Amino acid sequence: MFEEIINQSSTFSSYLMGTTTLFVAAFTAIISVANPLAAMPVFLSLTEKNSDLERISVAKKSSLYMFLVLIIFLLAGTYIMSFFGISLSGIRIAGGLIILRAAYAMLNPEVTEHRISEEAQEAAKDKQDISFSPMAMPMLSGPGSIAVVIGLGSQAQGIWDFAIISIAIVLVALISYGVLRLAPFSAKYIGPTGMNIITRMMGFIAMAIGVQFILNGVSMFFGV
């Protein structure tokens, strides 16, 4: 009887550890590519003429659109891959490369490329609603975030895995809202140095996850 209890406890602990690992990996991969900290300067620039209430509304809708875009691609990613004839190993390697690119940019902020051009930013200032474009796409849920979500979905082994990844997306969307919501205060009190330190720490973790994505894809391709 005691052996059965010990075995059940061990199985549950292993399952819980696997669930936690998946959640941490999904959350870190998505937020490192979405990188709401990088979207903060653009948000401040595009909403400089808006009131505080209007900025809150834009932040809320941008985060909601981001969540919807990523959830749609998480659920429909398998069908998209089948339509274009993309293998699971291919999407994992592609997702890993995108994470590595984002991680390198986070570790070297001085060479980070702008997600949208200065001309596009100026044009966006004249738009009545910038929540979906350019804030939600491509700033928060651009091609990189979408590819990573599809890659995570390709590794899901059941409905529970999809639920865990969905929770990670929800958390990233909430954090993105918080970052945008507090952007005026963060830019003032954290300062460039503080944001630089946070970004570099996330970049190192993201790089390790990107390498693991690539290793999983190569391992699957060669069947090892």
Side-chain angles (χ1 to χ4, degrees), residues 43-129:
F43 174 78
L44 291 173
S45 174
L46 297 181
T47 60
E48 61 182 353
K49 297 180 180 179
N50 293 33
S51 65
D52 289 341
L53 290 178
E54 289 173 336
R55 274 182 165 173
I56 294 173
S57 176
V58 171
K60 187 181 300 182
K61 289 192 290 185
S62 298
S63 303
L64 176 61
Y65 290 144
M66 171 199 185
F67 165 75
L68 293 175
V69 168
L70 295 184
I71 284 293
I72 289 172
F73 277 95
L74 173 65
L75 300 178
T78 303
Y79 302 101
I80 295 173
M81 291 164 51
S82 299
F83 180 80
F84 288 103
I86 304 173
S87 65
L88 292 178
S89 56
I91 196 67
R92 289 181 182 180
I93 293 174
L97 291 173
I98 290 174
I99 295 176
L100 283 180
R101 183 178 181 276
Y104 178 79
M106 294 171 75
L107 289 171
N108 300 273
E110 62 276 5
V111 298
T112 301
E113 298 180 2
H114 295 291
R115 298 190 187 184
I116 56 176
S117 64
E118 294 183 2
E119 292 79 6
Q121 292 187 39
E122 289 299 322
K125 290 182 179 180
D126 298 327
K127 296 178 61 177
Q128 292 185 351
D129 190 356

Side-chain angles (χ1 to χ4, degrees), residues 126-161:
D126 298 327
K127 296 178 61 177
Q128 292 185 351
D129 190 356
I130 61 167
S131 302
F132 185 78
S133 174
M135 286 309 304
M137 290 188 71
M139 288 304 301
L140 295 174
S141 54
S145 302
I146 291 171
V148 169
V149 166
I150 294 177
L152 289 167
S154 71
Q155 300 186 58
Q157 299 180 355
I159 187 69
W160 182 240
D161 286 355

Side-chain angles (χ1 to χ4, degrees), residues 33-45:
V33 179
N35 195 4
L37 291 176
M40 193 166 65
V42 177
F43 174 78
L44 291 173
S45 174

Side-chain angles (χ1 to χ4, degrees), residues 107-223:
L107 289 171
N108 300 273
E110 62 276 5
V111 298
T112 301
E113 298 180 2
H114 295 291
R115 298 190 187 184
I116 56 176
S117 64
E118 294 183 2
E119 292 79 6
Q121 292 187 39
E122 289 299 322
K125 290 182 179 180
D126 298 327
K127 296 178 61 177
Q128 292 185 351
D129 190 356
I130 61 167
S131 302
F132 185 78
S133 174
M135 286 309 304
M137 290 188 71
M139 288 304 301
L140 295 174
S141 54
S145 302
I146 291 171
V148 169
V149 166
I150 294 177
L152 289 167
S154 71
Q155 300 186 58
Q157 299 180 355
I159 187 69
W160 182 240
D161 286 355
F162 278 102
I164 293 172
I165 299 171
S166 299
I167 294 172
I169 293 175
V170 170
L171 185 57
V172 170
L174 290 175
I175 291 176
S176 298
Y177 168 71
V179 169
L180 297 181
R181 173 69 177 83
L182 300 175
F185 306 99
S186 301
K188 181 179 180 180
Y189 292 106
I190 296 178
T193 302
M195 292 180 59
N196 200 7
I197 293 173
I198 295 173
T199 300
R200 288 176 185 271
M201 290 174 60
M202 291 294 297
F204 177 76
I205 298 174
M207 183 164 287
I209 292 176
V211 171
Q212 189 61 52
F213 260 60
I214 295 174
L215 291 176
N216 290 344
V218 172
S219 176
M220 173 179 282
F221 180 79
F222 289 104

